[in-house]
Amino acid sequence: MIDFLFDYATLRVIWWVLLGVLLIAFAVTDGFDMGVGALLPFVAKTDIERRVAINTVGPVWEGNQVWFILGGGAIFAAWPALYAVSFSGFYLAMFLVLFALILRPVAFKYRSKRDSARWRENWDWALFIGGAVPALIFGVAVGNTLQGVPFHFTDDLRPIYEGNLFGLLNPAAIFCGLVSVAMLVMHGAAWLAFKADGVVADRAAAIGPKAALASACLFAIGGLLVYAGFLGGYDVTSPIVWDGPSNPLHKVVVEQGDAWLGNFRDEPWLWLVPLLGVVCPLLAAIGFKARKAGLTFLASKLAIVCIIATVGVAMFPIILPSSTNPSHSLAVFDASSSRLTLRNMLFATVIFLPLILAYTAWVYHVLWGKVSEKDVRDAGHAY
């Protein structure tokens, strides 16, 4: 059993799963932070209302971003070729995301440094940018990944990227960006309905059903686009050697319009994942209407899990397809670090990930309860 758990093929699949877990954890936790920022101009009209919304995420947003750092670190250590291609090819897009993510903590820290309405309003718009821009760009990145990224490798495995920022902003990718925005706005509204009190929660509960319905409809339309071949599709046609060397040049990949549906055809039970990706936002919409904040937030989290998991399940075993030379696409079985690296990283993960989860759970337990206008006025440490 021990040998099985630590053979090269199994370690590769484990780290593919762990990468998905880290990215989903980031979307579920920091996703409602971004959603609250994107909703800020619409759910809060006065300064005290904006402070209520901000203070629902103020104590936890820094910890939530840890998952983004862990995800980037996992890509760097476990999938170095993926890190090299994606962080180089998507450099300008990543720069926009990092700019927005850096702008957000600055806005949190500086908005209350001066007792000026104009000063605070400007920083509140910075929070809006810090929430809406990453939500859009992350979805655009997924859309480009589904279509294939214009890169290839030289004979010595040096990656060559042939695209640009404007190429990334194509209609299909922007559509995926809208799915992401709708999903995270739904999640932010669910969080505000759950955590805020008063008029802020009421407005969030009114906006939430619209965002939830938009998430379900856009995701379903996305599935139809995949079925019609508009979002691309790639399939490995050569024999897969799961314990072979990490060299993406030793396989044959072809572009096929409906290839992303192959895993669902082979394993019909996997259709449950995208089905829940449609059903859970609808359940969240019902929860908003019924003012069941806890169940709504749970349905929103499950919707994010299933929507993101659908992409991973559809693409497996491909991680990043190449549109210019499909056979140079990066796959789970040929783009990882060494067996020793994956094994040692897994040991560290088994030790430290439960500690991170336990600490995170403890923080949310300590900070349990709603944020009201009275709480914000009375607390001298509030944002």
Side-chain angles (χ1 to χ4, degrees):
M1 184 64 176
I2 297 297
D3 292 338
F4 169 73
L5 286 176
F6 296 107
D7 67 62
Y8 203 5
T10 304
L11 284 169
R12 282 170 160 164
V13 175
I14 288 174
W15 272 103
W16 174 79
V17 172
L18 284 175
L19 177 60
V21 168
L22 292 174
L23 295 179
I24 288 173
F26 169 65
V28 168
T29 55
D30 209 38
F32 66 73
D33 295 350
M34 290 185 281
V36 169
L39 282 169
L40 195 59
F42 309 102
V43 298
K45 305 300 182 182
T46 65
D47 180 65
I48 190 64
E49 290 173 2
R50 288 192 288 271
R51 292 183 67 195
V52 169
I54 291 169
N55 278 277
T56 63
V57 298
V60 297
W61 68 267
E62 288 176 291
N64 292 341
Q65 288 197 148
V66 167
W67 297 105
F68 182 62
I69 298 170
L70 290 175
I75 294 174
F76 173 78
W79 309 99
L82 175 63
Y83 184 91
V85 174
S86 60
F87 278 71
S88 297
F90 294 164
Y91 180 80
L92 291 176
M94 291 290 184
F95 179 83
L96 289 176
V97 168
L98 290 176
F99 172 79
L101 292 180
I102 292 171
L103 186 64
R104 184 172 59 168
V106 175
F108 274 121
K109 300 301 183 182
Y110 276 79
R111 77 172 305 277
S112 296
K113 295 299 183 181
R114 290 178 57 189
D115 189 14
S116 166
R118 181 65 178 272
W119 171 269
R120 291 185 173 185
E121 184 178 349
N122 288 337
W123 286 116
D124 290 339
W125 280 109
L127 286 173
F128 169 78
I129 294 171
V133 170
L136 177 66
I137 298 298
F138 285 136
V140 168
V142 172
N144 280 280
T145 300
L146 288 169
Q147 296 176 89
V149 178
F151 74 92
H152 66 275
F153 290 95
T154 62
D155 292 339
D156 59 354
L157 293 181
R158 183 167 60 90
I160 304 296
Y161 179 76
E162 299 175 350
N164 56 63
L165 177 62
F166 298 103
L168 296 176
L169 299 175
N170 58 78
I174 292 175
F175 173 82
C176 292
L178 294 177
V179 176
S180 176
V181 170
M183 179 180 71
L184 295 186
V185 166
M186 169 192 68
H187 200 40
W191 173 257
L192 287 174
F194 175 72
K195 189 68 176 175
D197 196 15
V199 67
V200 173
D202 294 338
R203 291 184 183 132
I207 295 173
K210 301 179 180 66
L213 290 174
S215 299
C217 292
L218 289 172
F219 181 60
I221 293 172
L224 295 176
L225 293 176
V226 170
Y227 179 78
F230 289 113
L231 287 179
Y234 296 82
D235 187 31
V236 182
T237 58
S238 59
I240 295 176
V241 182
W242 283 99
D243 58 353
S246 288
N247 189 330
L249 306 184
H250 294 167
K251 66 179 179 299
V252 178
V253 178
V254 296
E255 185 175 1
Q256 295 179 349
D258 62 347
W260 294 146
L261 301 178
N263 289 332
F264 298 102
R265 295 194 188 100
D266 295 339
E267 301 288 343
W269 67 271
L270 290 174
W271 284 107
L272 184 63
V273 180
L275 177 62
L276 289 175
V278 175
V279 171
C280 287
L282 297 178
L283 293 177
I286 295 172
F288 279 117
K289 291 294 187 180
R291 298 307 295 265
K292 301 292 185 180
L295 294 176
T296 302
F297 190 54
L298 176 61
S300 177
K301 289 192 287 187
L302 290 175
I304 291 176
V305 172
C306 293
I307 289 173
I308 296 177
T310 296
V311 178
V313 169
M315 294 181 61
F316 184 84
I318 294 177
I319 303 177
L320 186 67
S322 168
S323 59
T324 53
N325 192 333
S327 292
H328 288 198
S329 300
L330 301 178
V332 175
F333 56 85
D334 67 4
S336 73
S337 293
S338 68
R339 176 179 178 272
L340 179 62
T341 299
L342 297 182
R343 189 192 65 182
N344 291 345
M345 287 174 57
L346 184 59
F347 284 146
T349 301
V350 169
I351 295 172
F352 291 107
L353 187 58
L355 296 177
I356 295 173
L357 291 172
Y359 175 74
T360 301
W362 177 77
V363 168
Y364 279 89
H365 173 72
V366 170
L367 298 172
W368 195 260
K370 288 183 174 290
V371 178
S372 66
E373 293 185 9
K374 182 178 183 301
D375 294 330
V376 173
R377 289 192 180 97
D378 293 346
H381 58 274
Y383 287 103

